[in-house]
PDB file of all heavy atoms in Angstrom:
ATOM      1  N   GLN A 113      33.923   4.091  42.403  1.00 77.00           N
ATOM      2  CA  GLN A 113      34.430   4.013  41.142  1.00 77.00           C
ATOM      3  C   GLN A 113      33.764   4.998  40.191  1.00 77.00           C
ATOM      4  O   GLN A 113      34.315   5.318  39.078  1.00 77.00           O
ATOM      5  CB  GLN A 113      34.550   2.647  40.629  1.00 77.00           C
ATOM      6  CG  GLN A 113      35.427   1.670  41.385  1.00 77.00           C
ATOM      7  CD  GLN A 113      35.380   0.207  40.865  1.00 77.00           C
ATOM      8  OE1 GLN A 113      34.315  -0.280  40.811  1.00 77.00           O
ATOM      9  NE2 GLN A 113      36.563  -0.287  40.690  1.00 77.00           N
ATOM     10  N   GLU A 114      32.607   5.418  40.509  1.00 81.00           N
ATOM     11  CA  GLU A 114      31.824   6.285  39.537  1.00 81.00           C
ATOM     12  C   GLU A 114      31.976   7.705  39.999  1.00 81.00           C
ATOM     13  O   GLU A 114      31.268   8.509  39.434  1.00 81.00           O
ATOM     14  CB  GLU A 114      30.386   5.874  39.480  1.00 81.00           C
ATOM     15  CG  GLU A 114      30.104   4.437  38.966  1.00 81.00           C
ATOM     16  CD  GLU A 114      28.675   4.017  38.904  1.00 81.00           C
ATOM     17  OE1 GLU A 114      27.824   4.998  38.632  1.00 81.00           O
ATOM     18  OE2 GLU A 114      28.384   2.921  39.211  1.00 81.00           O
ATOM     19  N   GLY A 115      32.843   8.007  40.987  1.00 83.00           N
ATOM     20  CA  GLY A 115      33.007   9.326  41.396  1.00 83.00           C
ATOM     21  C   GLY A 115      32.041   9.929  42.270  1.00 83.00           C
ATOM     22  O   GLY A 115      31.876  11.185  42.307  1.00 83.00           O
ATOM     23  N   ARG A 116      31.336   9.092  42.950  1.00 82.00           N
ATOM     24  CA  ARG A 116      30.231   9.467  43.862  1.00 82.00           C
ATOM     25  C   ARG A 116      30.839   9.630  45.326  1.00 82.00           C
ATOM     26  O   ARG A 116      31.294   8.673  45.867  1.00 82.00           O
ATOM     27  CB  ARG A 116      29.071   8.683  43.843  1.00 82.00           C
ATOM     28  CG  ARG A 116      28.398   8.670  42.457  1.00 82.00           C
ATOM     29  CD  ARG A 116      27.218   7.699  42.342  1.00 82.00           C
ATOM     30  NE  ARG A 116      27.712   6.277  42.586  1.00 82.00           N
ATOM     31  CZ  ARG A 116      26.881   5.165  42.356  1.00 82.00           C
ATOM     32  NH1 ARG A 116      25.558   5.429  41.895  1.00 82.00           N
ATOM     33  NH2 ARG A 116      27.257   3.920  42.565  1.00 82.00           N
ATOM     34  N   TYR A 117      30.690  10.764  45.958  1.00 81.00           N
ATOM     35  CA  TYR A 117      31.228  11.007  47.336  1.00 81.00           C
ATOM     36  C   TYR A 117      30.082  10.976  48.310  1.00 81.00           C
ATOM     37  O   TYR A 117      29.033  11.486  48.132  1.00 81.00           O
ATOM     38  CB  TYR A 117      31.736  12.347  47.502  1.00 81.00           C
ATOM     39  CG  TYR A 117      33.148  12.501  46.788  1.00 81.00           C
ATOM     40  CD1 TYR A 117      33.179  12.972  45.407  1.00 81.00           C
ATOM     41  CD2 TYR A 117      34.344  12.290  47.392  1.00 81.00           C
ATOM     42  CE1 TYR A 117      34.390  13.165  44.673  1.00 81.00           C
ATOM     43  CE2 TYR A 117      35.626  12.467  46.810  1.00 81.00           C
ATOM     44  CZ  TYR A 117      35.649  12.877  45.384  1.00 81.00           C
ATOM     45  OH  TYR A 117      36.818  13.025  44.837  1.00 81.00           O
ATOM     46  N   LEU A 118      30.414  10.289  49.514  1.00 78.00           N
ATOM     47  CA  LEU A 118      29.491  10.373  50.654  1.00 78.00           C
ATOM     48  C   LEU A 118      29.200  11.806  51.040  1.00 78.00           C
ATOM     49  O   LEU A 118      28.196  12.272  51.372  1.00 78.00           O
ATOM     50  CB  LEU A 118      29.942   9.581  51.814  1.00 78.00           C
ATOM     51  CG  LEU A 118      29.889   7.997  51.800  1.00 78.00           C
ATOM     52  CD1 LEU A 118      30.473   7.423  53.097  1.00 78.00           C
ATOM     53  CD2 LEU A 118      28.428   7.627  51.732  1.00 78.00           C
ATOM     54  N   ALA A 119      30.323  12.596  51.058  1.00 76.00           N
ATOM     55  CA  ALA A 119      30.256  13.998  51.601  1.00 76.00           C
ATOM     56  C   ALA A 119      29.368  14.896  50.824  1.00 76.00           C
ATOM     57  O   ALA A 119      28.873  15.920  51.267  1.00 76.00           O
ATOM     58  CB  ALA A 119      31.760  14.533  51.748  1.00 76.00           C
ATOM     59  N   LEU A 120      29.123  14.493  49.424  1.00 78.00           N
ATOM     60  CA  LEU A 120      28.379  15.467  48.676  1.00 78.00           C
ATOM     61  C   LEU A 120      26.885  15.053  48.660  1.00 78.00           C
ATOM     62  O   LEU A 120      26.089  15.679  47.944  1.00 78.00           O
ATOM     63  CB  LEU A 120      28.947  15.354  47.208  1.00 78.00           C
ATOM     64  CG  LEU A 120      30.328  15.862  47.026  1.00 78.00           C
ATOM     65  CD1 LEU A 120      30.788  15.763  45.533  1.00 78.00           C
ATOM     66  CD2 LEU A 120      30.386  17.249  47.545  1.00 78.00           C
ATOM     67  N   GLU A 121      26.506  14.068  49.350  1.00 78.00           N
ATOM     68  CA  GLU A 121      25.176  13.652  49.474  1.00 78.00           C
ATOM     69  C   GLU A 121      24.524  14.066  50.870  1.00 78.00           C
ATOM     70  O   GLU A 121      24.857  13.494  51.898  1.00 78.00           O
ATOM     71  CB  GLU A 121      25.041  12.075  49.398  1.00 78.00           C
ATOM     72  CG  GLU A 121      25.340  11.615  47.981  1.00 78.00           C
ATOM     73  CD  GLU A 121      24.176  11.709  46.965  1.00 78.00           C
ATOM     74  OE1 GLU A 121      23.088  12.028  47.471  1.00 78.00           O
ATOM     75  OE2 GLU A 121      24.423  11.541  45.764  1.00 78.00           O
ATOM     76  N   SER A 122      23.654  15.081  50.864  1.00 78.00           N
ATOM     77  CA  SER A 122      23.076  15.543  52.057  1.00 78.00           C
ATOM     78  C   SER A 122      22.174  14.512  52.764  1.00 78.00           C
ATOM     79  O   SER A 122      21.855  14.605  53.851  1.00 78.00           O
ATOM     80  CB  SER A 122      22.306  16.820  51.773  1.00 78.00           C
ATOM     81  OG  SER A 122      21.134  16.560  50.855  1.00 78.00           O
ATOM     82  N   ARG A 123      21.670  13.517  51.985  1.00 82.00           N
ATOM     83  CA  ARG A 123      20.950  12.515  52.544  1.00 82.00           C
ATOM     84  C   ARG A 123      21.675  11.378  53.387  1.00 82.00           C
ATOM     85  O   ARG A 123      20.980  10.568  53.950  1.00 82.00           O
ATOM     86  CB  ARG A 123      20.009  11.780  51.548  1.00 82.00           C
ATOM     87  CG  ARG A 123      20.890  11.097  50.409  1.00 82.00           C
ATOM     88  CD  ARG A 123      19.968  10.674  49.271  1.00 82.00           C
ATOM     89  NE  ARG A 123      20.651   9.970  48.310  1.00 82.00           N
ATOM     90  CZ  ARG A 123      20.883   8.627  48.253  1.00 82.00           C
ATOM     91  NH1 ARG A 123      20.545   7.952  49.279  1.00 82.00           N
ATOM     92  NH2 ARG A 123      21.636   7.999  47.424  1.00 82.00           N
ATOM     93  N   PHE A 124      22.953  11.535  53.405  1.00 83.00           N
ATOM     94  CA  PHE A 124      23.853  10.609  54.223  1.00 83.00           C
ATOM     95  C   PHE A 124      24.081  11.178  55.575  1.00 83.00           C
ATOM     96  O   PHE A 124      24.357  12.401  55.736  1.00 83.00           O
ATOM     97  CB  PHE A 124      25.065  10.319  53.485  1.00 83.00           C
ATOM     98  CG  PHE A 124      24.945   9.494  52.187  1.00 83.00           C
ATOM     99  CD1 PHE A 124      25.894   9.584  51.185  1.00 83.00           C
ATOM    100  CD2 PHE A 124      23.955   8.613  52.047  1.00 83.00           C
ATOM    101  CE1 PHE A 124      25.737   8.781  50.084  1.00 83.00           C
ATOM    102  CE2 PHE A 124      23.758   7.884  50.883  1.00 83.00           C
ATOM    103  CZ  PHE A 124      24.668   7.939  49.880  1.00 83.00           C
ATOM    104  N   ARG A 125      24.071  10.242  56.521  1.00 83.00           N
ATOM    105  CA  ARG A 125      24.561  10.675  57.921  1.00 83.00           C
ATOM    106  C   ARG A 125      25.610   9.762  58.336  1.00 83.00           C
ATOM    107  O   ARG A 125      25.362   8.576  58.427  1.00 83.00           O
ATOM    108  CB  ARG A 125      23.276  10.499  58.932  1.00 83.00           C
ATOM    109  CG  ARG A 125      22.066  11.429  58.505  1.00 83.00           C
ATOM    110  CD  ARG A 125      22.436  12.878  58.642  1.00 83.00           C
ATOM    111  NE  ARG A 125      21.227  13.729  58.492  1.00 83.00           N
ATOM    112  CZ  ARG A 125      20.831  14.239  57.271  1.00 83.00           C
ATOM    113  NH1 ARG A 125      21.607  14.008  56.204  1.00 83.00           N
ATOM    114  NH2 ARG A 125      19.787  14.984  57.127  1.00 83.00           N
ATOM    115  N   LEU A 126      26.797  10.258  58.487  1.00 82.00           N
ATOM    116  CA  LEU A 126      27.911   9.416  58.870  1.00 82.00           C
ATOM    117  C   LEU A 126      28.180   9.434  60.374  1.00 82.00           C
ATOM    118  O   LEU A 126      28.299  10.531  60.957  1.00 82.00           O
ATOM    119  CB  LEU A 126      29.118   9.943  58.073  1.00 82.00           C
ATOM    120  CG  LEU A 126      30.480   9.216  58.332  1.00 82.00           C
ATOM    121  CD1 LEU A 126      30.397   7.662  57.786  1.00 82.00           C
ATOM    122  CD2 LEU A 126      31.690   9.910  57.736  1.00 82.00           C
ATOM    123  N   VAL A 127      28.277   8.321  60.959  1.00 82.00           N
ATOM    124  CA  VAL A 127      28.567   8.127  62.398  1.00 82.00           C
ATOM    125  C   VAL A 127      29.791   7.308  62.547  1.00 82.00           C
ATOM    126  O   VAL A 127      29.882   6.272  61.958  1.00 82.00           O
ATOM    127  CB  VAL A 127      27.378   7.567  63.092  1.00 82.00           C
ATOM    128  CG1 VAL A 127      27.634   7.400  64.531  1.00 82.00           C
ATOM    129  CG2 VAL A 127      26.083   8.308  62.857  1.00 82.00           C
ATOM    130  N   ARG A 128      30.702   7.772  63.336  1.00 82.00           N
ATOM    131  CA  ARG A 128      31.898   6.843  63.580  1.00 82.00           C
ATOM    132  C   ARG A 128      32.095   6.814  65.111  1.00 82.00           C
ATOM    133  O   ARG A 128      31.860   7.827  65.854  1.00 82.00           O
ATOM    134  CB  ARG A 128      33.165   7.449  62.911  1.00 82.00           C
ATOM    135  CG  ARG A 128      33.598   8.813  63.407  1.00 82.00           C
ATOM    136  CD  ARG A 128      34.524   9.390  62.436  1.00 82.00           C
ATOM    137  NE  ARG A 128      34.051  10.277  61.494  1.00 82.00           N
ATOM    138  CZ  ARG A 128      34.728  10.827  60.498  1.00 82.00           C
ATOM    139  NH1 ARG A 128      35.993  10.516  60.361  1.00 82.00           N
ATOM    140  NH2 ARG A 128      34.130  11.588  59.613  1.00 82.00           N
ATOM    141  N   ARG A 129      32.395   5.550  65.619  1.00 80.00           N
ATOM    142  CA  ARG A 129      32.368   5.578  67.109  1.00 80.00           C
ATOM    143  C   ARG A 129      33.157   4.235  67.426  1.00 80.00           C
ATOM    144  O   ARG A 129      33.266   3.352  66.701  1.00 80.00           O
ATOM    145  CB  ARG A 129      31.143   5.496  67.764  1.00 80.00           C
ATOM    146  CG  ARG A 129      30.275   4.227  67.584  1.00 80.00           C
ATOM    147  CD  ARG A 129      28.896   4.244  68.190  1.00 80.00           C
ATOM    148  NE  ARG A 129      28.218   2.921  68.114  1.00 80.00           N
ATOM    149  CZ  ARG A 129      28.218   1.991  69.025  1.00 80.00           C
ATOM    150  NH1 ARG A 129      29.016   2.264  70.121  1.00 80.00           N
ATOM    151  NH2 ARG A 129      27.584   0.911  69.024  1.00 80.00           N
ATOM    152  N   LEU A 130      33.702   4.259  68.706  1.00 79.00           N
ATOM    153  CA  LEU A 130      34.188   2.969  69.250  1.00 79.00           C
ATOM    154  C   LEU A 130      33.071   2.101  69.614  1.00 79.00           C
ATOM    155  O   LEU A 130      32.219   2.639  70.469  1.00 79.00           O
ATOM    156  CB  LEU A 130      35.198   3.228  70.448  1.00 79.00           C
ATOM    157  CG  LEU A 130      36.538   3.847  69.982  1.00 79.00           C
ATOM    158  CD1 LEU A 130      37.275   4.356  71.295  1.00 79.00           C
ATOM    159  CD2 LEU A 130      37.376   2.928  69.214  1.00 79.00           C
ATOM    160  N   ALA A 131      33.043   0.841  69.353  1.00 75.00           N
ATOM    161  CA  ALA A 131      31.921  -0.003  69.777  1.00 75.00           C
ATOM    162  C   ALA A 131      31.923  -0.272  71.232  1.00 75.00           C
ATOM    163  O   ALA A 131      30.839  -0.647  71.780  1.00 75.00           O
ATOM    164  CB  ALA A 131      31.973  -1.311  68.982  1.00 75.00           C
ATOM    165  N   SER A 132      33.043   0.020  71.910  1.00 69.00           N
ATOM    166  CA  SER A 132      33.082  -0.221  73.366  1.00 69.00           C
ATOM    167  C   SER A 132      32.311   0.897  74.085  1.00 69.00           C
ATOM    168  O   SER A 132      32.006   0.676  75.322  1.00 69.00           O
ATOM    169  CB  SER A 132      34.522  -0.171  73.733  1.00 69.00           C
ATOM    170  OG  SER A 132      35.145   0.956  73.527  1.00 69.00           O
ATOM    171  N   LEU A 133      31.947   1.916  73.540  1.00 64.00           N
ATOM    172  CA  LEU A 133      31.239   2.939  74.154  1.00 64.00           C
ATOM    173  C   LEU A 133      29.759   2.493  74.374  1.00 64.00           C
ATOM    174  O   LEU A 133      29.219   1.787  73.552  1.00 64.00           O
ATOM    175  CB  LEU A 133      31.085   4.322  73.363  1.00 64.00           C
ATOM    176  CG  LEU A 133      32.487   5.044  73.170  1.00 64.00           C
ATOM    177  CD1 LEU A 133      32.299   6.222  72.296  1.00 64.00           C
ATOM    178  CD2 LEU A 133      33.017   5.544  74.469  1.00 64.00           C
ATOM    179  N   PRO A 134      29.154   2.874  75.600  1.00 60.00           N
ATOM    180  CA  PRO A 134      27.812   2.336  75.863  1.00 60.00           C
ATOM    181  C   PRO A 134      26.947   2.886  74.704  1.00 60.00           C
ATOM    182  O   PRO A 134      26.844   4.021  74.362  1.00 60.00           O
ATOM    183  CB  PRO A 134      27.490   3.117  77.096  1.00 60.00           C
ATOM    184  CG  PRO A 134      28.837   3.369  77.796  1.00 60.00           C
ATOM    185  CD  PRO A 134      29.730   3.605  76.664  1.00 60.00           C
ATOM    186  N   PRO A 135      26.109   1.895  74.184  1.00 56.00           N
ATOM    187  CA  PRO A 135      25.225   2.339  72.975  1.00 56.00           C
ATOM    188  C   PRO A 135      24.228   3.360  73.306  1.00 56.00           C
ATOM    189  O   PRO A 135      23.862   4.180  72.455  1.00 56.00           O
ATOM    190  CB  PRO A 135      24.546   0.955  72.683  1.00 56.00           C
ATOM    191  CG  PRO A 135      24.627   0.163  73.977  1.00 56.00           C
ATOM    192  CD  PRO A 135      25.907   0.510  74.482  1.00 56.00           C
ATOM    193  N   GLU A 136      23.839   3.472  74.540  1.00 55.00           N
ATOM    194  CA  GLU A 136      22.843   4.498  74.974  1.00 55.00           C
ATOM    195  C   GLU A 136      23.364   5.988  74.705  1.00 55.00           C
ATOM    196  O   GLU A 136      22.610   6.852  74.528  1.00 55.00           O
ATOM    197  CB  GLU A 136      22.277   4.384  76.385  1.00 55.00           C
ATOM    198  CG  GLU A 136      23.382   4.568  77.508  1.00 55.00           C
ATOM    199  CD  GLU A 136      23.964   3.163  77.842  1.00 55.00           C
ATOM    200  OE1 GLU A 136      23.937   2.280  77.050  1.00 55.00           O
ATOM    201  OE2 GLU A 136      24.707   3.196  78.867  1.00 55.00           O
ATOM    202  N   LEU A 137      24.664   6.135  74.650  1.00 52.00           N
ATOM    203  CA  LEU A 137      25.201   7.367  74.464  1.00 52.00           C
ATOM    204  C   LEU A 137      24.910   7.956  73.030  1.00 52.00           C
ATOM    205  O   LEU A 137      24.938   9.069  72.731  1.00 52.00           O
ATOM    206  CB  LEU A 137      26.690   7.419  74.709  1.00 52.00           C
ATOM    207  CG  LEU A 137      27.146   7.194  76.210  1.00 52.00           C
ATOM    208  CD1 LEU A 137      28.645   7.316  76.221  1.00 52.00           C
ATOM    209  CD2 LEU A 137      26.506   8.199  77.106  1.00 52.00           C
ATOM    210  N   GLY A 138      24.595   6.999  72.175  1.00 53.00           N
ATOM    211  CA  GLY A 138      24.319   7.421  70.834  1.00 53.00           C
ATOM    212  C   GLY A 138      22.846   7.730  70.538  1.00 53.00           C
ATOM    213  O   GLY A 138      22.440   8.163  69.430  1.00 53.00           O
ATOM    214  N   VAL A 139      22.048   7.629  71.592  1.00 59.00           N
ATOM    215  CA  VAL A 139      20.602   7.985  71.435  1.00 59.00           C
ATOM    216  C   VAL A 139      20.449   9.471  71.353  1.00 59.00           C
ATOM    217  O   VAL A 139      20.765  10.182  72.340  1.00 59.00           O
ATOM    218  CB  VAL A 139      19.832   7.241  72.577  1.00 59.00           C
ATOM    219  CG1 VAL A 139      18.304   7.686  72.371  1.00 59.00           C
ATOM    220  CG2 VAL A 139      20.029   5.794  72.633  1.00 59.00           C
ATOM    221  N   PRO A 140      19.872  10.012  70.317  1.00 63.00           N
ATOM    222  CA  PRO A 140      19.699  11.515  70.205  1.00 63.00           C
ATOM    223  C   PRO A 140      18.643  11.939  71.212  1.00 63.00           C
ATOM    224  O   PRO A 140      17.743  11.202  71.570  1.00 63.00           O
ATOM    225  CB  PRO A 140      19.272  11.702  68.728  1.00 63.00           C
ATOM    226  CG  PRO A 140      18.683  10.443  68.457  1.00 63.00           C
ATOM    227  CD  PRO A 140      19.365   9.355  69.151  1.00 63.00           C
ATOM    228  N   PRO A 141      18.712  13.180  71.582  1.00 67.00           N
ATOM    229  CA  PRO A 141      17.696  13.783  72.529  1.00 67.00           C
ATOM    230  C   PRO A 141      16.439  13.852  71.839  1.00 67.00           C
ATOM    231  O   PRO A 141      16.358  14.072  70.546  1.00 67.00           O
ATOM    232  CB  PRO A 141      18.289  15.066  72.999  1.00 67.00           C
ATOM    233  CG  PRO A 141      19.207  15.443  71.846  1.00 67.00           C
ATOM    234  CD  PRO A 141      19.709  14.229  71.413  1.00 67.00           C
ATOM    235  N   GLU A 142      15.389  13.965  72.619  1.00 76.00           N
ATOM    236  CA  GLU A 142      14.075  14.238  72.028  1.00 76.00           C
ATOM    237  C   GLU A 142      13.774  15.670  71.784  1.00 76.00           C
ATOM    238  O   GLU A 142      13.952  16.465  72.809  1.00 76.00           O
ATOM    239  CB  GLU A 142      12.889  13.612  72.816  1.00 76.00           C
ATOM    240  CG  GLU A 142      12.924  12.126  73.035  1.00 76.00           C
ATOM    241  CD  GLU A 142      11.694  11.555  73.913  1.00 76.00           C
ATOM    242  OE1 GLU A 142      10.951  12.416  74.307  1.00 76.00           O
ATOM    243  OE2 GLU A 142      11.765  10.361  74.095  1.00 76.00           O
ATOM    244  N   GLY A 143      13.604  16.035  70.617  1.00 86.00           N
ATOM    245  CA  GLY A 143      13.482  17.515  70.243  1.00 86.00           C
ATOM    246  C   GLY A 143      14.699  18.256  70.236  1.00 86.00           C
ATOM    247  O   GLY A 143      15.877  17.641  70.313  1.00 86.00           O
ATOM    248  N   PRO A 144      14.725  19.524  70.006  1.00 92.00           N
ATOM    249  CA  PRO A 144      15.956  20.296  69.866  1.00 92.00           C
ATOM    250  C   PRO A 144      16.795  20.333  71.102  1.00 92.00           C
ATOM    251  O   PRO A 144      16.291  20.181  72.305  1.00 92.00           O
ATOM    252  CB  PRO A 144      15.459  21.742  69.610  1.00 92.00           C
ATOM    253  CG  PRO A 144      14.035  21.609  69.127  1.00 92.00           C
ATOM    254  CD  PRO A 144      13.489  20.309  69.861  1.00 92.00           C
ATOM    255  N   PRO A 145      18.152  20.515  70.943  1.00 93.00           N
ATOM    256  CA  PRO A 145      18.961  20.334  72.163  1.00 93.00           C
ATOM    257  C   PRO A 145      19.084  21.653  72.970  1.00 93.00           C
ATOM    258  O   PRO A 145      18.697  22.693  72.475  1.00 93.00           O
ATOM    259  CB  PRO A 145      20.376  20.029  71.452  1.00 93.00           C
ATOM    260  CG  PRO A 145      20.388  20.771  70.222  1.00 93.00           C
ATOM    261  CD  PRO A 145      18.911  20.565  69.731  1.00 93.00           C
ATOM    262  N   ARG A 146      19.521  21.511  74.166  1.00 95.00           N
ATOM    263  CA  ARG A 146      19.775  22.651  75.090  1.00 95.00           C
ATOM    264  C   ARG A 146      21.295  22.810  75.213  1.00 95.00           C
ATOM    265  O   ARG A 146      21.888  21.891  75.267  1.00 95.00           O
ATOM    266  CB  ARG A 146      19.073  22.425  76.510  1.00 95.00           C
ATOM    267  CG  ARG A 146      17.554  22.242  76.357  1.00 95.00           C
ATOM    268  CD  ARG A 146      16.977  22.046  77.796  1.00 95.00           C
ATOM    269  NE  ARG A 146      16.998  23.329  78.551  1.00 95.00           N
ATOM    270  CZ  ARG A 146      17.667  23.714  79.510  1.00 95.00           C
ATOM    271  NH1 ARG A 146      18.561  22.754  80.064  1.00 95.00           N
ATOM    272  NH2 ARG A 146      17.643  24.869  80.125  1.00 95.00           N
ATOM    273  N   VAL A 147      21.706  24.159  75.195  1.00 97.00           N
ATOM    274  CA  VAL A 147      23.157  24.369  75.066  1.00 97.00           C
ATOM    275  C   VAL A 147      23.612  25.167  76.297  1.00 97.00           C
ATOM    276  O   VAL A 147      22.864  26.098  76.686  1.00 97.00           O
ATOM    277  CB  VAL A 147      23.410  25.225  73.757  1.00 97.00           C
ATOM    278  CG1 VAL A 147      24.913  25.424  73.659  1.00 97.00           C
ATOM    279  CG2 VAL A 147      22.909  24.505  72.545  1.00 97.00           C
ATOM    280  N   LEU A 148      24.757  24.804  76.890  1.00 97.00           N
ATOM    281  CA  LEU A 148      25.408  25.592  77.854  1.00 97.00           C
ATOM    282  C   LEU A 148      26.692  26.031  77.266  1.00 97.00           C
ATOM    283  O   LEU A 148      27.534  25.273  76.730  1.00 97.00           O
ATOM    284  CB  LEU A 148      25.738  24.731  79.072  1.00 97.00           C
ATOM    285  CG  LEU A 148      26.591  25.281  80.171  1.00 97.00           C
ATOM    286  CD1 LEU A 148      25.931  26.545  80.771  1.00 97.00           C
ATOM    287  CD2 LEU A 148      26.968  24.432  81.247  1.00 97.00           C
ATOM    288  N   VAL A 149      26.867  27.381  77.307  1.00 95.00           N
ATOM    289  CA  VAL A 149      28.062  28.067  76.845  1.00 95.00           C
ATOM    290  C   VAL A 149      28.915  28.449  78.048  1.00 95.00           C
ATOM    291  O   VAL A 149      28.362  29.219  78.897  1.00 95.00           O
ATOM    292  CB  VAL A 149      27.814  29.190  75.921  1.00 95.00           C
ATOM    293  CG1 VAL A 149      29.108  29.841  75.397  1.00 95.00           C
ATOM    294  CG2 VAL A 149      26.877  28.832  74.693  1.00 95.00           C
ATOM    295  N   VAL A 150      30.165  28.094  78.088  1.00 96.00           N
ATOM    296  CA  VAL A 150      31.116  28.482  79.249  1.00 96.00           C
ATOM    297  C   VAL A 150      32.217  29.334  78.591  1.00 96.00           C
ATOM    298  O   VAL A 150      33.011  28.908  77.754  1.00 96.00           O
ATOM    299  CB  VAL A 150      31.719  27.207  79.874  1.00 96.00           C
ATOM    300  CG1 VAL A 150      32.651  27.699  80.981  1.00 96.00           C
ATOM    301  CG2 VAL A 150      30.571  26.304  80.473  1.00 96.00           C
ATOM    302  N   VAL A 151      32.245  30.653  78.994  1.00 93.00           N
ATOM    303  CA  VAL A 151      33.307  31.493  78.617  1.00 93.00           C
ATOM    304  C   VAL A 151      34.271  31.819  79.743  1.00 93.00           C
ATOM    305  O   VAL A 151      33.801  32.459  80.764  1.00 93.00           O
ATOM    306  CB  VAL A 151      32.717  32.805  77.970  1.00 93.00           C
ATOM    307  CG1 VAL A 151      33.891  33.752  77.552  1.00 93.00           C
ATOM    308  CG2 VAL A 151      31.694  32.551  76.886  1.00 93.00           C
ATOM    309  N   SER A 152      35.532  31.362  79.796  1.00 93.00           N
ATOM    310  CA  SER A 152      36.376  31.580  80.755  1.00 93.00           C
ATOM    311  C   SER A 152      37.387  32.600  80.468  1.00 93.00           C
ATOM    312  O   SER A 152      38.261  32.428  79.585  1.00 93.00           O
ATOM    313  CB  SER A 152      37.055  30.240  81.203  1.00 93.00           C
ATOM    314  OG  SER A 152      37.955  30.451  82.278  1.00 93.00           O
ATOM    315  N   ASN A 153      37.332  33.729  81.162  1.00 90.00           N
ATOM    316  CA  ASN A 153      38.300  34.813  80.883  1.00 90.00           C
ATOM    317  C   ASN A 153      38.738  35.405  82.241  1.00 90.00           C
ATOM    318  O   ASN A 153      38.179  36.512  82.761  1.00 90.00           O
ATOM    319  CB  ASN A 153      37.485  35.920  80.169  1.00 90.00           C
ATOM    320  CG  ASN A 153      38.389  37.029  79.654  1.00 90.00           C
ATOM    321  OD1 ASN A 153      39.487  36.791  79.187  1.00 90.00           O
ATOM    322  ND2 ASN A 153      37.972  38.249  79.804  1.00 90.00           N
TER     323      ASN A 153
END
Side-chain angles (χ1 to χ4, degrees):
Q113 292 176 309
E114 298 180 35
R116 298 177 297 189
Y117 287 89
L118 280 178
L120 296 181
E121 292 280 348
S122 61
R123 59 191 181 88
F124 291 153
R125 301 293 185 269
L126 181 68
V127 178
R128 64 190 96 186
R129 73 181 188 92
L130 289 173
S132 59
L133 292 177
E136 61 270 15
L137 293 183
V139 179
E142 294 183 4
R146 300 182 74 250
V147 183
L148 173 64
V149 182
V150 179
V151 182
S152 180
N153 188 45

